[in-house]
Amino acid sequence: MNPATDRFMTAAIIEAKTGHDEGGIPIGAVLVRDGKIIGSGHNRRIQENDPIIHAEIDCLRNAGRIGSYKDTTLYSTLMPCYLCAGAVVQFGIRRVVVGESRNFAGAKEFLISMGVEVTDLDLDECADMMAEFIKNNPELWNEDIGEL
């Protein structure tokens, strides 16, 4: 594991691998408050036949109603798309840490324009995991990002 990978990104990577092992897209996310994971999830679009269950959405659902999200940080193995970035902004999450954005640029500029602090760790482990999935499953990937 890259030394830049902290325990929260490690937990998101484990979620991504779980999703992949279930036959889904390897993207994972965790929501952190006060140094503790309060929600985690992974992309379950394929497993649940539901186009909305991206990793970040699954994570937020699993965190449940927590009142204010302003003191939370969302970790995701991949830069969030506009759907997930919209949820970040809607709930007032102020910080997002991502594993990589090489395979998908996502909505980084939107997040920043809305006052969200975005940190891209640019981890080879996350980039390699996504690149391998995209290479082996181009149609599923293009469906996931709305480019079919």
Side-chain angles (χ1 to χ4, degrees):
M1 183 88 36
N2 183 315
T5 309
D6 67 18
R7 63 189 173 113
F8 303 126
M9 185 54 67
T10 298
I13 291 168
I14 291 168
E15 283 288 338
K17 290 178 179 179
T18 298
H20 184 264
D21 291 347
E22 293 173 352
I25 299 170
I27 305 169
V30 297
L31 188 65
V32 175
R33 172 187 272 161
D34 298 326
K36 295 181 182 137
I37 294 173
I38 60 171
S40 62
H42 51 272
N43 187 304
R44 296 186 309 122
R45 294 180 64 256
I46 295 166
Q47 300 93 309
E48 300 295 326
N49 194 32
D50 183 338
I52 302 301
I53 307 180
H54 288 203
E56 299 86 347
I57 302 299
D58 190 43
C59 174
L60 291 169
R61 282 180 169 170
N62 290 331
R65 294 180 59 225
I66 64 167
S68 174
Y69 293 79
K70 289 181 183 4
D71 60 347
T72 63
T73 299
L74 180 69
Y75 286 75
S76 179
T77 57
L78 186 67
M79 185 66 68
C81 68
Y82 282 93
L83 169 71
C84 298
V88 166
V89 171
Q90 177 68 32
F91 293 115
I93 297 169
R94 303 259 169 103
R95 184 166 185 250
V96 174
V97 178
V98 299
E100 68 106 355
S101 62
R102 289 183 235 164
N103 288 293
F104 181 66
K108 179 179 182 177
E109 299 308 320
F110 169 72
L111 287 166
I112 291 170
S113 76
M114 299 303 292
V116 177
E117 176 189 340
V118 178
T119 302
D120 186 346
L121 300 177
D122 193 29
L123 299 174
D124 289 336
E125 182 175 11
C126 293
D128 294 348
M129 181 170 45
M130 278 310 304
E132 182 72 16
F133 179 83
I134 292 166
K135 176 183 162 200
N136 293 329
N137 304 279
E139 190 170 309
L140 285 175
W141 174 245
N142 286 328
E143 176 189 330
D144 191 62
I145 61 172
E147 292 188 4
L148 254 186

